[in-house]
Amino acid sequence: MDSNASHGADIASQFLHKLRVHWHDMRRSVLVVDDDPKLVELLRLYLERDGYRVRTAAGGPQALEALRNGQPDLVILDLMLPEMDGLEVCRVLREEADTPVIMLTARTSEKDRITGFDLGADDYVTKPFSPGELLARVRAVLRRVGEREGPDELSFGELKIDLLRHEVLVGEDRVELTPTEFRLLEAMAREPGRVFTRQQLIHAALGYDFEGFERTIDAHVKNLRRKIEADPKVPSYIRTVFGVGYRFVPPEGARAT
């Protein structure tokens, strides 16, 4: 091989190495916390096969040390841990970060689940479970986290939407919205000008498992207009796109801030 060919091969090798390193760094990371080594290795196998980087910890103190040494994208946390149980780990974690948490437990009582959610768990999986189900939960939680990323507030002239507090102001007046009305407004206001079908708005506001008529959205839009529009019969924010659905239109000259 001549020197030019050898130099070209070296450059290609370096490029491929950098590409592999970049791909590795771009993958989502998951911290698995459980004192059952067989379960940990099984979850590692499934998660890595699905493209995640995986770290593990066998107890509460090790989990907190791992979290402080490198923030993962998600934590899978067993409730029954030696030294420090999963509830306490979750409580400390929530004081330091907002990393999403999926709790694993053999406990099935409603009280235990409520305690976990109150401490900030994003999902709750009871043992025994299938690795496939847990992977689906991991994807769903990370997808929800991704949807939450973005500004904390949307402001369009007189209309202000506080996404963290779930509050809406029109001028100086606070508007009381139902959770469904808020999700509906948030979905449209995040993408001003986009035309949403009723089915898309059902998914955004009511969830994919909603079973009902698409016209349910019309009733929610009617109530929403009544609460945020100066004249609900001649709406300025939420416009009807006949035969399709609705779109959010900011006042002329106003931009999201």
XYZ file of all heavy atoms in Angstrom, residues 13-89:
624
model
N -10.292 5.686 9.195
C -10.394 4.997 10.479
C -10.684 5.978 11.609
O -11.513 5.712 12.481
C -9.086 4.244 10.757
O -9.127 3.624 12.019
N -9.991 7.144 11.584
C -10.220 8.159 12.607
C -11.650 8.695 12.542
O -12.290 8.935 13.566
C -9.221 9.293 12.447
C -7.782 8.900 12.756
C -6.797 9.995 12.403
O -7.181 11.137 12.133
N -5.514 9.650 12.380
N -12.152 8.890 11.309
C -13.508 9.401 11.133
C -14.530 8.418 11.689
O -15.466 8.809 12.400
C -13.787 9.667 9.652
C -15.221 10.018 9.369
C -15.712 11.285 9.648
C -16.092 9.075 8.827
C -17.026 11.617 9.408
C -17.414 9.396 8.583
C -17.871 10.672 8.871
N -14.343 7.128 11.388
C -15.280 6.126 11.881
C -15.251 6.035 13.394
O -16.282 5.854 14.044
C -14.961 4.758 11.255
C -15.289 4.618 9.770
C -14.758 3.289 9.237
C -16.787 4.711 9.534
N -14.046 6.172 13.971
C -13.934 6.146 15.422
C -14.683 7.322 16.044
O -15.437 7.153 17.010
C -12.461 6.190 15.848
C -12.276 6.309 17.334
N -12.557 5.278 18.211
C -11.847 7.358 18.102
C -12.310 5.670 19.442
N -11.888 6.930 19.408
N -14.493 8.525 15.488
C -15.187 9.705 16.002
C -16.697 9.559 15.852
O -17.469 9.972 16.717
C -14.711 10.963 15.278
C -13.289 11.369 15.636
C -12.880 12.623 14.868
C -11.461 13.041 15.235
N -11.035 14.241 14.461
N -17.132 8.947 14.736
C -18.560 8.754 14.510
C -19.151 7.807 15.535
O -20.238 8.052 16.070
C -18.783 8.205 13.093
C -20.226 8.130 12.595
C -20.833 9.523 12.531
C -20.275 7.463 11.224
N -18.419 6.727 15.846
C -18.903 5.777 16.856
C -18.972 6.434 18.229
O -19.922 6.226 18.979
C -17.982 4.550 16.888
C -18.201 3.567 15.746
C -17.522 2.246 16.043
N -16.077 2.399 16.071
C -15.283 2.229 15.023
N -15.807 1.909 13.853
N -13.981 2.380 15.132
N -17.946 7.227 18.569
C -17.940 7.921 19.860
C -19.107 8.902 19.940
O -19.809 8.990 20.938
C -16.605 8.653 20.084
C -16.701 9.571 21.316
C -15.474 7.655 20.252
N -19.344 9.658 18.834
C -20.438 10.631 18.809
C -21.778 9.921 18.965
O -22.640 10.357 19.726
C -20.406 11.400 17.495
C -21.535 12.371 17.339
N -21.648 13.511 18.089
C -22.622 12.351 16.515
C -22.737 14.170 17.751
N -23.348 13.485 16.812
N -21.950 8.798 18.249
C -23.211 8.054 18.350
C -23.409 7.551 19.774
O -24.503 7.614 20.332
C -23.196 6.885 17.372
C -24.448 6.062 17.440
C -25.653 6.339 16.891
C -24.614 4.814 18.135
N -26.568 5.359 17.188
C -25.958 4.413 17.944
C -23.757 4.006 18.882
C -26.444 3.241 18.489
C -24.256 2.838 19.421
C -25.584 2.466 19.217
N -22.316 7.053 20.386
C -22.418 6.550 21.756
C -22.839 7.666 22.704
O -23.690 7.482 23.572
C -21.069 5.969 22.190
C -21.075 5.394 23.572
N -20.800 6.156 24.696
C -21.340 4.136 24.019
C -20.885 5.394 25.766
N -21.202 4.170 25.401
N -22.251 8.857 22.538
C -22.571 9.977 23.416
C -23.994 10.483 23.206
O -24.592 11.055 24.119
C -21.583 11.127 23.182
C -20.178 10.785 23.683
O -20.060 9.841 24.481
O -19.211 11.452 23.255
N -24.540 10.314 21.997
C -25.866 10.812 21.693
C -26.975 9.895 22.216
O -28.114 10.307 22.335
C -26.036 10.982 20.180
C -25.235 12.140 19.587
S -25.781 13.734 20.223
C -27.380 13.863 19.413
N -26.625 8.630 22.535
C -27.651 7.712 23.013
C -28.155 8.123 24.395
O -27.407 8.650 25.215
C -27.093 6.288 23.069
C -26.846 5.660 21.708
C -26.465 4.202 21.850
N -25.230 4.037 22.599
C -24.840 2.893 23.156
N -25.617 1.829 23.094
N -23.704 2.806 23.801
N -29.428 7.846 24.657
C -29.994 8.132 25.969
C -29.378 7.172 26.993
O -29.117 6.010 26.698
C -31.506 7.947 25.937
C -32.254 8.921 25.033
C -32.249 10.317 25.616
N -33.135 11.191 24.889
C -34.344 11.538 25.305
N -34.825 11.063 26.433
N -35.084 12.356 24.593
N -29.172 7.672 28.215
C -28.578 6.843 29.263
C -29.624 6.505 30.325
O -30.467 7.339 30.669
C -27.390 7.558 29.907
O -27.808 8.755 30.519
N -29.541 5.285 30.839
C -30.474 4.796 31.851
C -29.669 4.230 33.011
O -28.732 3.453 32.812
C -31.405 3.711 31.277
C -32.312 3.148 32.360
C -32.234 4.264 30.125
N -30.039 4.627 34.227
C -29.443 4.054 35.435
C -30.429 3.047 36.016
O -31.567 3.397 36.348
C -29.145 5.153 36.459
C -28.649 4.674 37.836
C -27.310 3.961 37.710
C -28.548 5.845 38.807
N -29.991 1.783 36.134
C -30.827 0.719 36.706
C -30.377 0.478 38.140
O -29.211 0.158 38.392
C -30.700 -0.580 35.884
C -31.534 -1.693 36.523
C -31.132 -0.353 34.445
N -31.306 0.628 39.079
C -30.980 0.464 40.505
C -31.799 -0.693 41.058
O -33.018 -0.590 41.244
C -31.285 1.753 41.296
C -30.794 1.599 42.735
C -30.655 2.966 40.630
N -31.124 -1.829 41.332
C -31.798 -3.016 41.858
C -30.740 -3.919 42.459
O -29.616 -3.986 41.944
C -32.549 -3.743 40.733
C -33.610 -4.696 41.262
O -33.242 -5.643 41.994
O -34.796 -4.497 40.956
N -31.080 -4.608 43.547
C -30.105 -5.483 44.193
C -30.183 -6.923 43.708
O -29.522 -7.809 44.265
C -30.260 -5.434 45.714
C -31.630 -5.913 46.178
O -32.566 -5.892 45.351
O -31.769 -6.305 47.353
N -30.982 -7.176 42.672
C -31.077 -8.509 42.073
C -30.179 -8.537 40.835
O -30.543 -7.997 39.786
C -32.522 -8.803 41.684
C -32.701 -10.189 41.080
O -31.688 -10.796 40.660
O -33.846 -10.657 41.000
N -28.971 -9.156 40.915
C -28.024 -9.102 39.791
C -28.555 -9.733 38.505
O -28.252 -9.260 37.405
C -26.793 -9.845 40.317
C -27.268 -10.641 41.484
C -28.416 -9.886 42.068
N -29.362 -10.793 38.635
C -29.905 -11.430 37.429
C -30.877 -10.496 36.707
O -30.848 -10.383 35.479
C -30.601 -12.749 37.792
C -29.643 -13.839 38.244
C -30.379 -15.148 38.507
C -29.405 -16.235 38.921
N -30.115 -17.531 39.198
N -31.729 -9.812 37.482
C -32.670 -8.873 36.873
C -31.924 -7.694 36.256
O -32.258 -7.241 35.152
C -33.672 -8.372 37.916
C -34.685 -7.339 37.425
C -35.540 -7.905 36.292
C -35.570 -6.852 38.572
N -30.909 -7.208 36.946
C -30.127 -6.081 36.426
C -29.498 -6.439 35.090
O -29.541 -5.652 34.136
C -29.044 -5.663 37.442
C -28.045 -4.705 36.804
C -29.691 -5.006 38.656
N -28.899 -7.619 34.993
C -28.261 -8.017 33.738
C -29.282 -8.227 32.629
O -29.020 -7.932 31.465
C -27.431 -9.288 33.950
C -26.132 -9.038 34.689
C -25.320 -7.900 34.048
O -25.056 -7.974 32.830
O -24.967 -6.951 34.766
N -30.467 -8.738 32.988
C -31.518 -8.911 31.991
C -31.962 -7.550 31.445
O -32.101 -7.368 30.228
C -32.709 -9.644 32.608
C -33.909 -9.880 31.675
C -33.529 -10.810 30.535
C -35.083 -10.453 32.473
N -32.157 -6.592 32.356
C -32.575 -5.260 31.917
C -31.475 -4.576 31.112
O -31.748 -3.888 30.125
C -32.959 -4.409 33.130
C -34.192 -4.869 33.905
C -34.493 -3.918 35.054
C -35.403 -4.993 32.984
N -30.221 -4.774 31.524
C -29.107 -4.206 30.756
C -29.124 -4.736 29.318
O -28.966 -3.981 28.361
C -27.774 -4.547 31.419
C -26.569 -3.980 30.640
C -25.289 -4.700 31.014
N -24.866 -4.415 32.363
C -24.146 -3.346 32.695
N -23.787 -2.471 31.771
N -23.783 -3.154 33.950
N -29.326 -6.039 29.185
C -29.339 -6.668 27.867
C -30.422 -6.052 26.984
O -30.169 -5.659 25.834
C -29.569 -8.173 28.024
C -29.728 -8.977 26.727
C -28.433 -8.971 25.938
C -30.153 -10.413 27.039
N -31.638 -5.946 27.517
C -32.756 -5.417 26.727
C -32.566 -3.935 26.423
O -32.834 -3.478 25.307
C -34.077 -5.640 27.469
C -34.703 -6.981 27.181
C -34.285 -8.114 27.851
C -35.704 -7.115 26.218
C -34.857 -9.357 27.586
C -36.284 -8.344 25.955
C -35.846 -9.470 26.633
O -36.417 -10.687 26.366
N -32.111 -3.169 27.405
C -31.944 -1.725 27.189
C -30.838 -1.432 26.186
O -30.995 -0.577 25.302
C -31.646 -1.041 28.527
C -32.825 -0.926 29.490
C -32.333 -0.628 30.900
C -33.795 0.165 29.027
N -29.711 -2.132 26.308
C -28.609 -1.904 25.372
C -28.994 -2.341 23.970
O -28.623 -1.696 22.987
C -27.358 -2.640 25.853
C -26.726 -1.990 27.079
C -25.452 -2.685 27.528
O -25.217 -3.848 27.098
O -24.694 -2.075 28.312
N -29.753 -3.419 23.873
C -30.215 -3.872 22.561
C -31.159 -2.852 21.933
O -31.250 -2.738 20.705
C -30.920 -5.226 22.693
C -31.132 -5.929 21.350
C -31.560 -7.356 21.571
N -32.859 -7.455 22.227
C -33.411 -8.605 22.591
N -32.761 -9.745 22.405
N -34.595 -8.631 23.171
N -31.839 -2.071 22.791
C -32.747 -1.038 22.290
C -32.039 0.290 22.061
O -32.673 1.283 21.700
C -33.896 -0.836 23.294
C -35.186 -0.411 22.604
O -35.540 -1.016 21.570
O -35.845 0.535 23.095
N -30.709 0.316 22.290
C -29.933 1.502 21.957
C -29.580 2.420 23.109
O -29.011 3.493 22.896
N -29.871 2.021 24.359
C -29.580 2.871 25.509
C -28.208 2.550 26.092
O -27.743 1.412 26.037
C -30.635 2.681 26.607
C -32.026 3.068 26.189
C -32.932 2.100 25.758
C -32.428 4.397 26.202
C -34.213 2.448 25.357
C -33.708 4.755 25.805
C -34.596 3.781 25.381
O -35.856 4.137 24.974
N -27.570 3.571 26.662
C -26.392 3.367 27.488
C -26.870 3.051 28.900
O -27.770 3.714 29.400
C -25.499 4.612 27.499
C -24.780 4.836 26.178
C -23.809 6.010 26.258
N -24.511 7.281 26.356
C -24.312 8.173 27.300
N -23.448 7.922 28.276
N -24.962 9.321 27.308
N -26.262 2.060 29.534
C -26.775 1.572 30.820
C -25.680 1.611 31.881
O -24.558 1.157 31.659
C -27.315 0.129 30.693
C -27.840 -0.372 32.033
C -28.422 0.072 29.639
N -26.037 2.175 33.035
C -25.224 2.059 34.248
C -26.078 1.381 35.307
O -27.307 1.429 35.237
C -24.756 3.428 34.739
C -23.719 4.075 33.823
C -23.207 5.380 34.417
N -24.254 6.373 34.478
C -24.314 7.333 35.396
N -23.420 7.386 36.367
N -25.290 8.227 35.369
N -25.430 0.775 36.292
C -26.188 0.041 37.300
C -25.704 0.394 38.705
O -24.572 0.853 38.893
C -26.062 -1.482 37.097
O -24.700 -1.882 37.315
C -26.495 -1.878 35.695
N -26.583 0.188 39.665
C -26.251 0.347 41.083
C -27.069 -0.662 41.869
O -28.229 -0.917 41.548
C -26.542 1.777 41.552
N -26.460 -1.247 42.922
C -27.133 -2.306 43.679
C -27.814 -1.799 44.935
O -28.521 -2.564 45.603
C -26.127 -3.398 44.035
N -27.620 -0.527 45.283
C -28.223 0.005 46.496
C -28.429 1.504 46.421
O -27.975 2.165 45.469
N -29.100 2.053 47.442
C -29.416 3.471 47.445
C -28.211 4.391 47.425
O -28.119 5.299 46.590
N -27.242 4.211 48.345
C -26.075 5.089 48.346
C -25.294 5.048 47.032
O -24.848 6.090 46.530
C -25.231 4.538 49.505
C -26.226 3.891 50.423
C -27.256 3.305 49.512
N -25.131 3.843 46.460
C -24.442 3.730 45.172
C -25.222 4.439 44.074
O -24.638 5.040 43.163
C -24.244 2.248 44.798
C -23.410 1.457 45.784
C -24.267 0.718 46.792
O -25.242 1.278 47.327
N -23.909 -0.533 47.062
N -26.562 4.364 44.152
C -27.390 5.030 43.140
C -27.202 6.537 43.197
O -27.029 7.202 42.162
C -28.860 4.680 43.351
N -27.219 7.114 44.389
C -27.057 8.562 44.523
C -25.665 9.001 44.088
O -25.500 10.056 43.464
C -27.328 8.985 45.964
C -28.777 8.812 46.430
C -28.909 9.163 47.909
C -29.728 9.672 45.596
N -24.657 8.177 44.390
C -23.295 8.494 43.942
C -23.221 8.488 42.414
O -22.634 9.374 41.798
C -22.301 7.490 44.519
C -20.856 7.778 44.117
C -19.877 6.772 44.701
O -20.320 5.857 45.437
O -18.679 6.881 44.403
N -23.850 7.470 41.806
C -23.856 7.395 40.344
C -24.590 8.581 39.727
O -24.167 9.136 38.707
C -24.508 6.084 39.898
N -25.689 8.996 40.343
C -26.455 10.132 39.842
C -25.649 11.422 39.911
O -25.710 12.265 39.014
C -27.744 10.281 40.655
C -28.837 9.246 40.366
C -29.842 9.201 41.500
C -29.536 9.571 39.060
N -24.897 11.585 40.978
C -24.111 12.810 41.143
C -22.882 12.825 40.253
O -22.358 13.890 39.929
C -23.717 12.963 42.612
C -24.917 13.313 43.503
C -24.689 12.992 44.966
N -25.883 13.302 45.752
C -26.132 12.780 46.954
N -25.276 11.917 47.492
N -27.237 13.109 47.604
N -22.416 11.651 39.844
C -21.238 11.577 38.974
C -21.577 11.714 37.500
O -20.684 11.910 36.672
C -20.488 10.249 39.197
C -19.793 10.219 40.539
O -19.469 11.263 41.108
N -19.555 9.030 41.064
N -22.824 11.611 37.165
C -23.227 11.732 35.762
C -24.713 11.543 35.630
O -25.231 10.450 35.864
N -25.410 12.632 35.290
C -26.875 12.611 35.275
C -27.401 11.736 34.138
O -27.150 12.019 32.965
C -27.409 14.036 35.105
C -28.854 14.210 35.513
C -29.024 14.100 37.021
O -28.178 14.507 37.791
N -30.142 13.545 37.445
N -28.140 10.665 34.430
C -28.742 9.863 33.362
C -30.000 10.543 32.819
O -30.497 11.512 33.399
C -29.094 8.551 34.074
C -29.385 8.985 35.481
C -28.451 10.135 35.766
N -30.503 10.027 31.724
C -31.755 10.546 31.164
C -32.970 9.970 31.881
O -34.050 10.563 31.858
C -31.837 10.236 29.671
C -30.792 10.999 28.877
O -30.876 12.234 28.829
O -29.884 10.351 28.330
N -32.784 8.795 32.525
C -33.901 8.139 33.216
C -33.344 7.173 34.245
O -32.265 6.592 34.049
C -34.792 7.411 32.211
C -36.037 6.694 32.759
C -37.236 6.908 31.835
C -35.772 5.185 32.901
N -34.089 6.992 35.344
C -33.697 6.035 36.390
C -34.784 4.976 36.538
O -35.968 5.303 36.650
C -33.496 6.744 37.746
C -33.141 5.723 38.833
C -32.412 7.805 37.647
N -34.364 3.716 36.505
C -35.253 2.599 36.843
C -34.883 2.192 38.256
O -33.759 1.740 38.515
C -35.082 1.426 35.865
C -35.489 1.859 34.448
C -35.910 0.219 36.313
C -35.207 0.808 33.382
N -35.804 2.365 39.199
C -35.477 2.294 40.628
C -36.339 1.267 41.345
O -37.569 1.405 41.402
C -35.686 3.683 41.232
C -35.478 3.857 42.731
C -34.039 3.559 43.126
C -35.853 5.284 43.134
N -35.682 0.250 41.919
C -36.408 -0.739 42.719
C -36.792 -0.126 44.066
O -36.024 0.639 44.659
C -35.526 -1.966 42.930
C -36.263 -3.077 43.656
O -37.489 -3.201 43.458
O -35.631 -3.814 44.432
N -37.971 -0.459 44.531
C -38.449 0.106 45.791
C -37.766 -0.531 46.994
O -37.433 0.150 47.968
C -39.972 -0.077 45.884
C -40.692 0.667 46.993
C -40.516 2.167 46.846
C -42.179 0.313 46.972
N -37.535 -1.844 46.929
C -36.976 -2.587 48.063
C -35.465 -2.719 47.891
O -34.976 -3.644 47.245
C -37.629 -3.972 48.163
C -39.142 -3.919 48.321
S -39.641 -3.195 49.905
C -39.139 -4.495 51.027
N -34.720 -1.784 48.483
C -33.264 -1.784 48.387
C -32.650 -1.904 49.773
O -33.236 -1.459 50.759
C -32.772 -0.484 47.733
C -33.137 -0.255 46.267
C -32.745 1.163 45.859
C -32.441 -1.276 45.372
N -31.432 -2.483 49.869
C -30.755 -2.535 51.169
C -30.235 -1.147 51.555
O -29.989 -0.304 50.696
C -29.593 -3.512 50.899
C -29.337 -3.407 49.428
C -30.684 -3.157 48.797
N -30.080 -0.919 52.816
C -29.514 0.315 53.386
C -30.458 1.510 53.258
O -30.748 2.197 54.233
C -28.162 0.668 52.751
C -27.089 -0.392 52.911
C -25.806 0.020 52.244
O -25.157 0.980 52.712
O -25.443 -0.633 51.236
N -30.931 1.745 52.060
C -31.727 2.942 51.786
C -32.782 2.566 50.755
O -32.443 2.200 49.628
C -30.795 4.034 51.247
C -31.428 5.382 51.008
S -30.143 6.507 50.340
C -31.000 8.061 50.501
N -34.062 2.611 51.118
C -35.071 2.109 50.180
C -35.303 3.074 49.020
O -34.845 4.231 49.017
C -36.377 1.764 50.894
C -37.137 2.982 51.406
O -36.913 4.093 50.917
O -37.981 2.803 52.310
N -36.021 2.562 48.013
C -36.231 3.329 46.793
C -36.997 4.618 47.008
O -36.759 5.617 46.310
N -37.922 4.634 47.961
C -38.682 5.852 48.233
C -37.766 6.967 48.729
O -37.892 8.126 48.334
C -39.790 5.576 49.250
C -40.932 4.680 48.772
C -41.892 4.396 49.921
C -41.684 5.314 47.598
N -36.816 6.603 49.608
C -35.883 7.609 50.120
C -34.934 8.078 49.009
O -34.608 9.268 48.921
C -35.077 7.018 51.282
C -34.070 7.970 51.897
C -34.703 9.191 52.559
O -35.939 9.192 52.751
O -33.959 10.140 52.872
N -34.492 7.145 48.165
C -33.638 7.525 47.027
C -34.382 8.505 46.125
O -33.842 9.522 45.694
C -33.205 6.285 46.224
C -32.447 6.711 44.952
C -32.320 5.384 47.073
